[in-house]
Amino acid sequence: MSPKRGDRAAPPPVAGEYDLRFASSEAATGWEHLSRHAAGNLRKAFDRIRADPRGADSPERQHRLKGALGTGEFKGQRLERWQFEVTAGGRVWYLVDDTNRTAWITFAGAGHPKLTD
């Protein structure tokens, strides 16, 4: 069965890790596509986001988006929007929900999201 909106991206978090969940079915589909084409890099992204969604140790790969894209609305909350560059073109965008210790994946794909066009 394919993942869908609200589903967990992988096993449940442990020891203070963040939960990764899909904010939409499109994000889940994009994640599956990335997993087929860049599995190792996607696993690194998953591990880093889960451990620290605001990671500062690799700013060229993981960083908060700028300007109006730096925040997003999800379930009535205004949350920080971050990006992890999985490959040269592959991206994962997520919203950091500290209250629920969840990173909501809003986009995953081989190219830039349409919001950047």
Side-chain angles (χ1 to χ4, degrees), residues 38-114:
N41 287 352
L42 186 59
R43 178 56 192 246
K44 288 176 190 172
F46 171 82
D47 289 340
R48 291 215 178 171
I49 295 167
R50 173 172 267 184
D52 184 2
R54 293 182 183 90
D57 61 334
S58 186
E60 70 283 355
R61 290 258 182 218
Q62 184 179 13
H63 53 269
R64 186 171 179 187
L65 294 173
K66 297 179 182 184
L69 295 176
T71 59
E73 180 112 2
F74 188 72
K75 294 188 175 187
Q77 297 181 76
R78 199 99 183 119
L79 304 169
E80 292 179 13
R81 182 180 287 135
W82 283 67
Q83 170 177 270
F84 197 101
E85 296 181 19
V86 178
T87 64
R91 303 286 188 269
V92 172
W93 281 17
Y94 57 95
L95 300 170
V96 180
D97 179 352
D98 290 315
T99 303
N100 297 302
R101 293 197 60 79
T102 301
W104 291 100
I105 301 166
T106 59
F107 173 83
H112 292 277
K114 291 185 190 281

